[in-house]
Amino acid sequence: MSANNAFHIAVLAGDGIGPEVMAPALEVLRKVGEKSGLGFRFTEAPAGANNYLATGKSMPDTTIKLCEEADAILLGACGLPSVRYPDNTEIAPQIELRFIFDLYAGVRPARLIPGVPSPIVGADTRGIDLVVIRESTEGLFASMGKGVVTDEDARETLVITRRTSERLFEFSFRLAERRRARGKPGMLTCVDKANVFKAFAFFRGIFDEIAKKHPEVKTDRLYVDACSAMLVKRPWDFDVMVMENMFGDIVSDITASLIGGLGMAPSADIGDKYAVFQPCHGTAPDIMGQGKANPTGMILSAAMMLDWLADKHGLESAAEAGETIERAVDQVYAAGIKPMEFGGSNGTADITKAVLAAL
């Protein structure tokens, strides 16, 4: 936190609808800051496919330095389908930042908000409130840019290390403990494929070691295929789940679909010192500039940022501000706001205006 008692936030709006959903999130933060006595200093910087087209880099060094110096990083959607690196992979500064700042814990909450439709029968009465924790720096993604391709085959290497797994599991147990203190079940499930791959047996073995240090947390272990089947039948049985990078990439999209879609889903990538907060959705160039983008995921990501800042700095008012944003979002959806992705008529401006009014 800077000397003038304001949080310095690096703002990387990105591409496509990224800037369109970032602007409402900043408005919400300013409004809640006024009411809670929190100060914010926002510094915008380029990142993404458009910057790559202009400069040949996904991010300039100045952006990385800004992120290093800021108290937290807000990131909009990045990348465009038509813009690729020479090896045909997409421009993804969101992934690069995970490696640069060792953001090993990808936190993907999935909470069904009142008034939001879910495809799961019974979810409207049983509720959905879970968190996927996705390891974000290794696993299959450790091969990003390093895969070997010949005329005959292609190979990528999955990497799981003890150091990262131990930190990931400690983080996951702490989160489960915090959720239990807030009235949640506080149960942690390790999701893997330990019955087939030695790497995942290693992963589960480390989980079992760390679990012994947290006997008060109820634990479970599931294979990823069984977990996926259970999620689309009884998602209310889950609380916190922890898994390898690629599995988390897939499972977190499943859980987002259970709560109304990617437009409703916030996320964070957290390390020991730094953290990035961004919505789960992509850049959606097909609706760019049309006012149709749903800013809810970005707004809720900003609320997650406040909770992380509160925990990091011991500042309860920041946690309360984050909860205030969540309550405001709940209120507007319960009152009947309906984004266009649900077949409604409410676009970016409508949703933003309603949340600001609820604050």
Side-chain angles (χ1 to χ4, degrees):
M1 201 168 179
S2 55
N4 62 359
N5 205 37
F7 287 116
H8 182 201
I9 310 300
V11 178
L12 284 55
D15 306 303
I17 63 169
E20 298 174 40
V21 298
M22 181 65 78
L26 299 185
E27 284 189 72
V28 166
L29 284 170
R30 290 188 184 101
K31 181 73 174 285
V32 81
E34 292 170 4
K35 299 179 73 67
S36 61
L38 296 173
F40 298 102
R41 180 163 59 95
F42 301 114
T43 303
E44 298 188 14
N50 286 315
N51 192 75
Y52 177 77
L53 284 177
T55 69
K57 297 179 69 174
S58 67
M59 293 178 287
D61 293 340
T62 52
T63 293
I64 297 171
K65 183 162 182 60
L66 168 67
C67 292
E68 184 178 1
E69 295 174 346
D71 291 303
I73 304 158
L74 277 179
L75 179 65
C78 290
L80 293 171
S82 60
V83 183
R84 299 274 171 161
Y85 286 119
D87 64 359
N88 204 38
T89 57
E90 64 182 289
I91 312 302
Q94 64 272 28
I95 298 177
E96 294 167 29
L97 287 169
R98 296 169 194 166
F99 290 101
I100 292 169
F101 293 112
D102 195 19
L103 310 178
Y104 56 85
V107 183
R108 309 290 189 264
R111 182 175 65 89
L112 185 62
I113 292 171
V116 175
S118 171
I120 306 302
V121 175
D124 54 342
T125 56
R126 299 294 298 270
I128 301 173
D129 188 351
L130 56 85
V131 182
V132 172
I133 302 179
R134 167 192 178 187
E135 194 289 313
S136 292
T137 61
E138 48 188 46
L140 195 55
F141 278 75
S143 274
M144 192 178 75
K146 303 173 185 176
V148 177
V149 180
T150 71
D151 289 339
E152 302 300 325
D153 62 20
R155 297 173 186 269
E156 306 276 7
T157 302
L158 181 146
V159 177
I160 292 175
T161 68
R162 172 171 289 277
R163 177 176 181 269
T164 296
S165 298
E166 287 177 344
R167 290 187 298 162
L168 178 74
F169 294 140
E170 287 288 0
F171 179 95
S172 302
F173 276 101
R174 289 196 303 271
L175 180 61
E177 289 164 354
R178 287 184 70 196
R179 281 174 63 85
R180 189 179 63 173
R182 296 177 179 182
K184 312 295 183 185
M187 182 179 77
L188 180 60
T189 302
C190 180
V191 180
D192 55 46
K193 197 63 178 170
N195 59 328
V196 176
F197 296 102
K198 292 180 179 180
F200 288 113
F202 177 72
F203 186 75
R204 182 180 289 200
I206 298 171
F207 177 83
D208 291 340
E209 292 174 16
I210 303 300
K212 293 176 182 177
K213 301 179 182 179
H214 301 269
E216 69 284 359
V217 176
K218 184 179 179 181
T219 59
D220 197 5
R221 295 126 183 94
L222 283 175
Y223 301 135
V224 65
D225 45 349
C227 174
S228 300
M230 292 171 66
L231 275 171
V232 297
K233 288 185 177 181
R234 298 179 59 85
W236 43 82
D237 286 346
F238 291 91
D239 187 29
V240 183
M241 297 179 286
V242 59
M243 61 199 73
E244 176 269 340
N245 206 333
M246 180 58 80
F247 288 167
D249 189 22
I250 297 167
V251 171
S252 61
D253 274 14
I254 294 175
T255 56
S257 298
L258 306 183
I259 60 162
L262 292 173
M264 300 298 299
S267 79
D269 288 299
I270 299 174
D272 292 334
K273 183 178 180 181
Y274 302 97
V276 173
F277 301 86
Q278 66 176 120
C280 286
H281 63 70
T283 55
D286 57 319
I287 61 169
M288 179 178 61
Q290 300 174 37
K292 296 179 179 180
N294 181 359
T296 306
M298 187 76 244
I299 291 170
L300 292 175
S301 296
M304 287 182 70
M305 179 188 74
L306 291 175
D307 187 65
W308 179 77
L309 287 169
D311 186 51
K312 183 177 181 182
H313 294 278
L315 194 62
E316 187 58 32
S317 59
E320 292 171 355
E323 291 173 358
T324 298
I325 292 173
E326 291 184 352
R327 286 195 298 270
V329 170
D330 286 5
Q331 182 179 325
V332 302
Y333 276 95
I337 203 91
K338 193 173 184 181
M340 294 181 182
E341 65 201 89
F342 301 163
S345 60
N346 299 122
T348 314
D350 289 343
I351 297 168
T352 304
K353 183 179 178 181
V355 173
L356 289 171
L359 287 172

